[in-house]
Amino acid sequence: MSRCLADLDRQGPGRLDVIRRQLALNAAGVAGIAFFALYFVRRLHDGELASALWACHLASLAVGTGILARRPGLVAIGVLWLLVGIPMWFVYLSIGGQFRPASVLTHFGGLAVGCIGLAAFGMRRQMWWKAMAGLLVLLGVSRWVSPRNLNVNLAFHVYQSKDPFPGFYTAAILGLTILTTIFFFLAEQALRQLFPEPGRWSVNSGPSARG
């Protein structure tokens, strides 16, 4: 193995460094998918498979897949979802929601993987509205396929036992949609400053990244 690496290093300046960065990036992608897989298996074992549809957990899958497939858009959307999902997770825990250790991996591990992906590819433009559109689709899917007691992605209520007035849920979701859209827009601008395109990953230093 060492002889093979030495041969690669002699092929050109930085060639071995490029391969090492590719391997490290791919390892991060595998980790993101593994975090989701671990959570998925735990929920399958507990008979709560629909809980895997929470955007936070799918975000870990998205960033991992985006890295391996060289799809910066997936990485960006996953990171935006997690920036909203992590505070919402803390709200869930603060009102008595069950803490699951595997959730730490999908939330914080997924965010770390996503930041690695952004550092490699950069933050793409116009991801804010795609992230919001994806969340709305996920909300509809969650309401259709998940049981009410799990309330996946707030598909049935906004952490309240009953509506204080008729139409409260609709108004709350509309308000959250507006606020989240604004947050995604502002977060994208900030992330573009932190992770400008094309990042450290370009056609000259590794596989090309597709949007």
Side-chain angles (χ1 to χ4, degrees):
M1 180 66 176
S2 59
R3 181 178 179 181
C4 179
L5 292 176
D7 290 341
L8 287 171
D9 202 27
R10 285 194 294 271
Q11 290 179 11
R15 175 62 176 170
L16 183 56
D17 181 58
V18 168
I19 292 176
R20 284 172 174 162
R21 286 192 291 116
Q22 289 179 9
L23 292 175
L25 187 61
N26 288 339
V30 170
I33 295 173
F35 296 155
F36 173 79
L38 179 60
Y39 183 86
F40 182 90
V41 170
R42 291 301 305 169
R43 298 285 66 74
L44 180 63
H45 178 267
D46 294 341
E48 297 181 354
L49 188 57
S51 290
L53 286 174
W54 274 100
C56 321
H57 309 308
L58 290 178
S60 184
L61 177 63
V63 297
T65 303
I67 287 175
L68 292 180
R70 302 299 189 258
R71 294 286 185 177
L74 271 179
V75 177
I77 289 173
V79 170
L80 289 175
W81 282 6
L82 281 165
L83 290 178
V84 167
I86 290 175
M88 292 298 293
W89 182 48
F90 281 125
V91 170
Y92 167 77
L93 294 176
S94 71
I95 61 175
Q98 184 177 358
F99 172 77
R100 297 183 174 91
S103 293
V104 176
L105 293 177
T106 53
H107 286 83
F108 293 104
L111 182 60
V113 169
C115 288
I116 291 172
L118 289 183
F121 305 133
M123 180 69 185
R124 293 297 174 95
R125 296 178 183 273
Q126 302 297 315
M127 291 295 109
W128 61 273
W129 69 267
K130 296 178 182 178
M132 192 65 246
L135 272 187
L136 293 176
V137 170
L138 194 54
L139 174 64
V141 171
S142 300
R143 190 173 179 88
W144 182 38
V145 304
S146 64
R148 185 182 183 87
N149 66 298
L150 293 180
N151 193 36
V152 176
N153 294 310
L154 307 183
F156 296 97
H157 59 81
V158 189
Y159 296 139
Q160 84 280 359
S161 57
K162 62 180 181 179
D163 289 352
F165 57 83
F168 172 80
Y169 174 77
T170 300
I173 289 297
L174 180 59
L176 284 173
T177 297
I178 294 172
L179 291 175
T180 303
T181 300
I182 294 172
F183 174 81
F184 281 164
F185 178 79
L186 296 176
E188 179 183 304
Q189 310 315 307
L191 289 171
R192 284 185 58 77
Q193 295 298 314
L194 291 172
F195 305 105
E197 292 183 75
R200 296 196 305 267
W201 208 264
S202 67
V203 293
N204 297 319
S205 61
S208 61
R210 300 177 297 274

